[in-house]
């Protein structure tokens, strides 16, 4: 069974940093593109970033580019999201997501974690 | 970024009703269009990919159609467990973008 388990969320002050982790199991992690998708309270879904299985291809949403860094450790089957210079508008549930890389395109998510809440507030 | 316009933003229906949601892209996205279901407090779930392909295990009452910029999602006979918010999403261009969502409630 495919499982994704996020951790690392919490309350942080504006301008602060936080690192999210996502432990994966039940599939060949090193062969899978992985994404982070977020959802602000009561709002819709926003794709944040994607990283290829090898780590060679990385893309970010414009709203987080330069502040967030996606990475992975294939030896630990773990995906990370380092979030710096956090703003109130980054407050959201952050989901770890397995990307199917369908037609060699990123964006088809066939498995989601349960999400971890990040709250940016003073 | 490609803008995805979904309508309606909410709807009320009865058990057994046919429910239709539309999604319009700001440019041609070919058929690179997915539909997700999200129940309250839960992660989204992929229902349909490439505009009309049903994900494994998804009931056949769910269907999708369309191409280019205009797409439709249909529940042929609404069931109690279908109460959720539904999102369309394009993945033709990065970043993948979602519609604003349609909240389906019971009348």
């Amino acid at each position: 069974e495919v499982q994704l388990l996020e951790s690392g969320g919490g309350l942080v002050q504006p301008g602060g940093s936080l690192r999210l982790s996502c432990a994966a199991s039940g599939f060949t992690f090193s062969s899978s593109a992985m994404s982070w998708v977020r959802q602000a309270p009561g709002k819709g879904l926003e794709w944040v970033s994607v990283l290829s299985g090898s780590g060679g291809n990385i893309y970010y949403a414009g709203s987080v580019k330069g502040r967030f860094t996606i990475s992975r450790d294939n030896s630990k089957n773990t995906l990370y999201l380092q979030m710096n210079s956090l703003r109130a508008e980054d407050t959201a549930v952050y989901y770890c997501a397995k990307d199917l890389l369908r037609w060699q395109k990123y964006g088809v998510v066939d498995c989601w974690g349960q999400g971890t809440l990040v709250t940016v507030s003073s | 970024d490609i803008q995805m316009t979904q309508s309606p933003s909410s709807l009320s229906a009865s058990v057994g009703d046919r429910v239709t949601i539309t999604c319009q892209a700001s440019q041609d996205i070919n058929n690179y269009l997915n539909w997700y279901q999200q129940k309250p407090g839960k992660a989204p779930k992929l229902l349909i990919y490439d505009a009309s392909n049903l994900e494994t295990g998804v009931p056949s009452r769910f269907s999708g159609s369309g191409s280019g910029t205009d797409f439709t999602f249909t529940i042929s006979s609404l069931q109690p467990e279908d109460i959720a918010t539904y999102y369309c999403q394009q993945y033709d261009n990065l970043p993948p973008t979602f519609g604003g969502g349609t909240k389906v409630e019971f009348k």
Side-chain angles (χ1 to χ4, degrees):
Chain A
E1 180 190 4
V2 175
Q3 286 195 334
L4 300 171
L5 185 62
E6 302 96 335
S7 60
L11 175 64
V12 60
Q13 292 187 337
S17 298
L18 212 55
R19 188 198 201 198
L20 306 183
S21 299
C22 171
S25 61
F27 63 101
T28 306
F29 181 75
S30 60
S31 299
S32 299
M34 298 294 296
S35 296
W36 289 98
V37 180
R38 69 183 181 184
Q39 186 170 35
K43 302 297 184 182
L45 299 164
E46 180 188 16
W47 177 86
V48 172
S49 181
V50 65
L51 179 61
S52 62
S54 65
N57 291 312
I58 301 176
Y59 298 95
Y60 296 99
S63 57
V64 307
K65 196 170 186 178
R67 300 187 298 123
F68 290 11
T69 302
I70 191 172
S71 62
R72 64 194 297 158
D73 185 337
N74 287 342
S75 69
K76 296 181 178 179
N77 285 359
T78 302
L79 178 73
Y80 303 100
L81 185 68
Q82 177 67 44
M83 304 185 294
N84 298 332
S85 302
L86 283 162
R87 307 166 180 167
E89 54 264 36
D90 295 318
T91 294
V93 172
Y94 284 74
Y95 293 103
C96 171
K98 176 178 166 290
D99 198 302
L100 277 177
L101 194 56
R102 189 165 171 80
W103 303 112
Q104 295 303 305
K105 288 179 177 285
Y106 296 113
V108 185
V109 175
D110 68 334
C111 184
W112 302 71
Q114 86 290 347
T116 187
L117 176 62
V118 172
T119 303
V120 184
S121 175
S122 55
Chain B
D1 298 0
I2 296 176
Q3 305 302 313
M4 305 300 292
T5 303
Q6 203 175 324
S7 63
S9 57
S10 65
L11 65 89
S12 298
S14 301
V15 173
D17 283 354
R18 184 181 184 86
V19 170
T20 299
I21 299 168
T22 63
C23 182
Q24 185 171 59
S26 58
Q27 65 186 65
D28 189 339
I29 57 169
N30 300 288
N31 283 353
Y32 298 120
L33 189 283
N34 306 317
W35 291 95
Y36 296 89
Q37 175 194 64
Q38 186 178 32
K39 296 184 178 180
K42 300 294 185 181
K45 174 186 175 183
L46 178 66
L47 297 182
I48 290 172
Y49 60 93
D50 295 350
S52 60
N53 294 306
L54 209 60
E55 174 73 336
T56 302
V58 174
S60 60
R61 65 180 179 274
F62 296 101
S63 65
S65 64
S67 63
T69 61
D70 295 300
F71 301 87
T72 300
F73 172 81
T74 300
I75 307 173
S76 61
S77 177
L78 187 68
Q79 300 301 302
E81 60 267 31
D82 300 336
I83 297 307
T85 299
Y86 294 85
Y87 294 93
C88 63
Q89 177 223 16
Q90 69 79 24
Y91 71 103
D92 188 29
N93 283 6
L94 285 171
T97 46
F98 294 88
T102 297
K103 188 174 184 179
V104 176
E105 300 173 306
F106 277 128
K107 189 179 294 183

